[in-house]
Amino acid sequence: MSALADDRRKQILAAAERCFARHGFHQTSMQEVCREAGLSPGSVYRYFRSKDDIIVAMAGENRQDTHARFATAAANPDVIAGLLQLAEDVLAQINDPACGPLHFECTAEAMRNPRVAEVVRRDDQEIVAGMVELLRRGQEAGHVDPALDPRRAAETLIALADGLTWRKFLDPRIDLAAFRDTARLMIERFLRPRA
């Protein structure tokens, strides 16, 4: 894909994201996405045949971002420090007012649309697997409590992020940056080996 084509795809996805955050998937038409992107319908349809294609592409972009975040966390020799940085990155992401509405729109769409459900489930499985791998590495290095089941611990940490996403969605005035220290303390206490 050429740089121009990649830029155009990103432009369309960003426009669709803004539309979906404002009006939801079903209330947003392809024409609205075209207007928001400042492109003709032919230009948009050249890259995406439908809203489903856009949703799947958005999930793909999110997957790439998630892989990059896990790679950064995994590169840290101190697994807890890597996980804390990952948590800070996630807090910053979900502090974006558009994050909650998009997250819940995607979840709702996955309940109705098998194609979207497949992508959402695959993304979730990859996130859990990445977290489990980090926790296992932390256990092997002596940084993470060996009594913790890595899968259950991973799901618990992900549930913390999901819960904070819900809190932000319910009250957009909440600044999740204020939760940084509390989240760090909870994660460290949860994961560190007991004396």
Side-chain angles (χ1 to χ4, degrees):
M1 180 181 297
S2 73
L4 176 62
D6 189 49
D7 288 347
R8 190 68 73 213
R9 270 184 96 260
K10 288 178 180 173
Q11 177 184 354
I12 295 164
L13 290 174
E17 202 170 281
R18 291 188 300 272
C19 290
F20 294 158
R22 276 195 309 263
H23 305 295
F25 292 143
H26 290 282
Q27 289 74 33
T28 298
S29 67
M30 284 296 279
Q31 289 73 26
E32 287 176 271
V33 173
C34 296
R35 271 194 306 277
E36 184 77 22
L39 297 170
S40 70
S43 295
V44 172
Y45 281 106
R46 179 175 173 193
Y47 297 95
F48 302 102
R49 292 173 303 183
S50 66
K51 284 193 294 184
D52 278 5
D53 286 351
I54 291 174
I55 295 165
V56 169
M58 286 170 64
E61 296 280 320
N62 186 54
R63 187 178 321 108
Q64 288 176 349
D65 183 49
T66 300
H67 282 292
R69 287 182 180 169
F70 273 105
T72 300
N76 194 320
D78 180 344
V79 171
I80 300 277
L83 285 167
L84 290 172
Q85 183 57 56
L86 179 64
E88 284 189 34
D89 292 347
V90 169
L91 273 176
Q93 179 185 11
I94 60 180
N95 206 28
D96 177 347
C99 180
L102 280 172
H103 175 79
F104 296 115
E105 275 292 325
C106 216
T107 302
E109 186 62 20
M111 294 170 69
R112 297 182 285 262
N113 183 325
R115 184 174 175 210
V116 174
E118 179 185 329
V119 171
V120 168
R121 283 191 189 105
R122 184 181 63 226
D123 288 353
D124 182 67
Q125 290 167 355
E126 288 177 8
I127 290 168
V128 171
M131 186 71 74
V132 167
E133 179 59 29
L134 283 173
L135 293 172
R136 282 194 179 127
R137 272 195 40 237
Q139 287 175 322
E140 290 167 6
H143 300 153
V144 174
D145 188 342
L148 289 173
D149 176 280
R151 178 151 184 107
R152 289 197 178 113
E155 300 245 9
T156 301
L157 292 170
I158 293 164
L160 175 63
D162 289 343
L164 287 171
T165 303
W166 182 247
R167 302 303 318 151
K168 179 69 174 183
F169 174 70
L170 290 175
D171 185 357
R173 297 168 301 169
I174 291 175
D175 181 4
L176 292 180
F179 287 74
R180 178 186 173 273
D181 292 339
T182 302
R184 288 180 65 88
L185 185 62
M186 287 174 65
I187 292 167
E188 284 199 79
R189 285 184 179 171
F190 176 57
L191 295 177
R192 290 266 183 225
R194 302 211 188 287

